Amino acid sequence: MAKKLRFNSATIHGGQQPDKAYGSVMPPIYQTSTYAQTTPGEHQGYEYSRTHNPTRTALERSIASIENAKHGLAFASGMAAMDTVLKLFKPGDEIISTDDLYGGSYRLMTQIFDKYGLKIHFVNMEKPDTVTQFLNDKTRLIWVETPTNPMMKVVDIQAIAALGKAHNALVAVDNTFASPYLQQPLDLGADIVLHSATKYLAGHSDTVLGLLVVNDDALQEKLAFIQNSGGGVPGPMDCFLTLRGIKTLHLRMQRHCENGAAVAIYLQHHPKIEKVYWPGLVDHPNHEVAKKQMNAFGGMLSFVPRGGDLQTSMSIVENLKLFILAESLGGVESLAGHPASMTHASIPKAVREKSGVVDGLIRLSVGIEDVQDLIEDLDQAIA
Ligand code: P1T
């Protein structure tokens, strides 16, 4: 058996080998839709690029390697990956989801799959026992986002996985905010891990792509069948870019975490800032769980200026010069967002405010620039 690589080597080599044709060290971008057959049904493992593509295979092997998974599957976006997971179920099935989550995930569940008869309960999972009252014989999936977008709540994956096992429900973890550098949910008992690879994995804000990983062979087959039937697959160029991004994931994440910590502490001590949400702060309500299941605390944080009014927050995000006001996260450059009007606008105001997404909330994706420049930028914008 091949030696198992440590994480910082697996990002570069995991599941990879030089290409067979010319020994190219990076996998070629196999820009082809189809593959020659010698006689019908006889080919070299590839028939049609909706089903498989060698560049995609290289990426799927890479993500499986760094998530300690048996199988990886790549999709056109994070939402296409989630869409595929939700198509495992049938009308009448029930899902329990974290109450705070990416607005697009909420929209897919409530405005698309609701129509097809899936019943979804949104639950604050900070205390895992809260989930118990929603479990019944129709529960098929527990959907966990941790840390959550944008409130940075941390959910105990091991505790939720145990509940899922006990009730025969699958447990899926959206690992986008943490990335596999910080946590590997399959090792904690989850069945499915999802990534918007658009974020930390690709890491350069130049690609939209989604990934799933699983260990179970039968589950992988079902997901691959839905993937091939529906066709929400990425092109080879985007697979190549994501694969290239993954090779520096550990270096980038190290800096994202250091800069995230410095910005969180700066904001926490700022007299004009009321509240900072970052799991590394000792007064974060789920700090102990974060310490248990994450290797560090990441570069995503949210905060509310004193008073918490919309005008103050708008003026801060408009006055930032280095932080770019934009949706998305996880790229090398720092971004600021206003969840209520941007990434979470598809969640009704009353619903989002219940989970903490007030009009004054600002979300930061802290990049890997010199942190002093980032702090000076925040300083002038807050002033
Ligand atoms: O954008 P896409 O690759 O389809 O991924 C969707 C998605 C899934 N899960 C989480 C936790 C996410 O944050 C996202 C996308 N989020 C943003 C675009 C954002 O700015 O929050």
Side-chain angles (χ1 to χ4, degrees):
M1 209 174 109
K3 181 177 176 293
K4 185 164 166 27
L5 295 172
R6 292 174 180 83
F7 188 85
N8 295 351
S9 307
T11 53
I12 298 162
H13 299 288
Q16 307 302 303
Q17 54 189 54
D19 187 65
K20 289 204 182 79
Y22 298 107
S24 75
V25 167
M26 277 301 281
I29 301 161
Y30 280 97
Q31 194 69 49
T32 186
S33 60
T34 191
Y35 307 81
Q37 310 196 5
T38 45
T39 184
E42 209 149 288
H43 49 74
Q44 298 179 48
Y46 293 89
E47 298 167 86
Y48 188 59
S49 283
R50 172 162 28 78
T51 320
H52 295 294
N53 172 286
T55 318
R56 196 169 110 204
T57 305
L59 171 62
E60 290 172 340
R61 289 189 178 147
S62 168
I63 187 65
S65 165
I66 60 172
E67 281 283 9
N68 290 332
K70 203 162 162 197
H71 306 287
L73 297 116
F75 296 85
S77 67
M79 295 324 301
M82 186 178 186
D83 180 79
T84 296
V85 173
L86 296 179
K87 284 176 179 158
L88 290 167
F89 308 108
K90 60 178 192 320
D93 287 349
E94 297 193 10
I95 294 171
I96 306 172
S97 165
T98 39
D99 61 340
D100 183 45
L101 77 171
Y102 170 54
S105 305
Y106 179 88
R107 178 176 57 203
L108 185 63
M109 290 199 231
T110 56
Q111 293 189 46
I112 306 289
F113 281 92
D114 180 68
K115 279 197 304 212
Y116 293 95
L118 293 189
K119 184 168 179 191
I120 298 136
H121 305 274
F122 293 96
V123 178
N124 181 344
M125 296 188 190
E126 286 174 293
K127 291 194 173 60
D129 285 348
T130 320
V131 171
T132 315
Q133 59 189 291
F134 296 92
L135 283 161
N136 61 50
D137 58 4
K138 294 191 184 121
T139 311
R140 295 287 173 269
L141 176 73
I142 308 178
W143 184 269
V144 178
E145 205 178 280
T146 182
T148 63
N149 181 358
M151 295 310 297
M152 307 302 300
K153 295 179 194 172
V154 175
V155 178
D156 187 331
I157 298 171
Q158 232 165 356
I160 299 291
L163 283 175
K165 292 265 166 327
H167 290 82
N168 236 351
L170 292 171
V171 172
V173 175
D174 184 334
N175 203 19
T176 300
F177 267 37
S179 91
Y181 177 82
L182 295 181
Q183 72 191 10
Q184 286 138 340
L186 295 186
D187 290 348
L188 301 172
D191 302 288
I192 302 174
V193 173
L194 176 139
H195 282 284
S196 169
T198 314
K199 313 298 185 307
Y200 287 108
L201 292 171
H204 297 74
S205 305
D206 53 10
T207 313
V208 173
L209 193 136
L211 293 165
L212 294 178
V213 296
V214 299
N215 278 329
D216 186 75
D217 296 341
L219 184 56
Q220 127 75 10
E221 267 180 43
K222 283 186 203 163
L223 291 166
F225 181 80
I226 299 169
Q227 178 192 42
N228 187 45
S229 304
V233 296
M237 180 70 191
D238 289 341
C239 293
F240 176 88
L241 286 170
T242 305
L243 197 52
R244 183 169 70 165
I246 288 175
K247 286 173 192 283
T248 56
L249 177 70
H250 50 300
L251 292 174
R252 289 183 285 106
M253 285 309 296
Q254 190 179 351
R255 184 61 63 83
H256 281 297
C257 292
E258 287 165 13
N259 286 1
V263 170
I265 290 162
Y266 157 79
L267 289 171
Q268 195 186 31
H269 289 105
H270 198 296
K272 286 190 175 172
I273 301 304
E274 191 162 306
K275 191 90 191 80
V276 182
Y277 302 93
W278 185 67
L281 295 173
V282 286
D283 63 354
H284 183 283
N286 321 122
H287 179 63
E288 289 306 316
V289 180
K291 254 179 26 189
K292 183 180 77 162
Q293 73 186 18
M294 300 171 75
N295 297 322
F297 306 105
M300 291 301 299
L301 60 89
S302 296
F303 69 97
V304 182
R306 206 160 284 287
D309 60 290
L310 180 65
Q311 285 72 20
T312 308
S313 296
M314 285 292 178
S315 130
I316 292 174
V317 295
E318 283 167 10
N319 280 297
L320 286 166
K321 294 188 167 65
L322 189 54
F323 278 83
I324 299 167
L325 178 61
E327 307 220 359
S328 205
L329 58 110
V332 290
E333 67 291 301
S334 293
L335 301 181
H338 180 250
S341 65
M342 295 167 72
T343 48
H344 292 69
S346 57
I347 305 179
K349 187 174 162 79
V351 176
R352 66 174 153 74
E353 287 195 338
K354 227 176 110 197
S355 64
V357 188
V358 293
D359 283 349
L361 190 79
I362 295 171
R363 190 188 75 180
L364 298 181
S365 171
V366 181
I368 63 171
E369 301 94 336
D370 189 307
V371 74
Q372 209 45 47
D373 286 325
L374 298 178
I375 288 174
E376 284 170 17
D377 191 31
L378 285 163
D379 220 36
Q380 63 79 26
I382 294 167

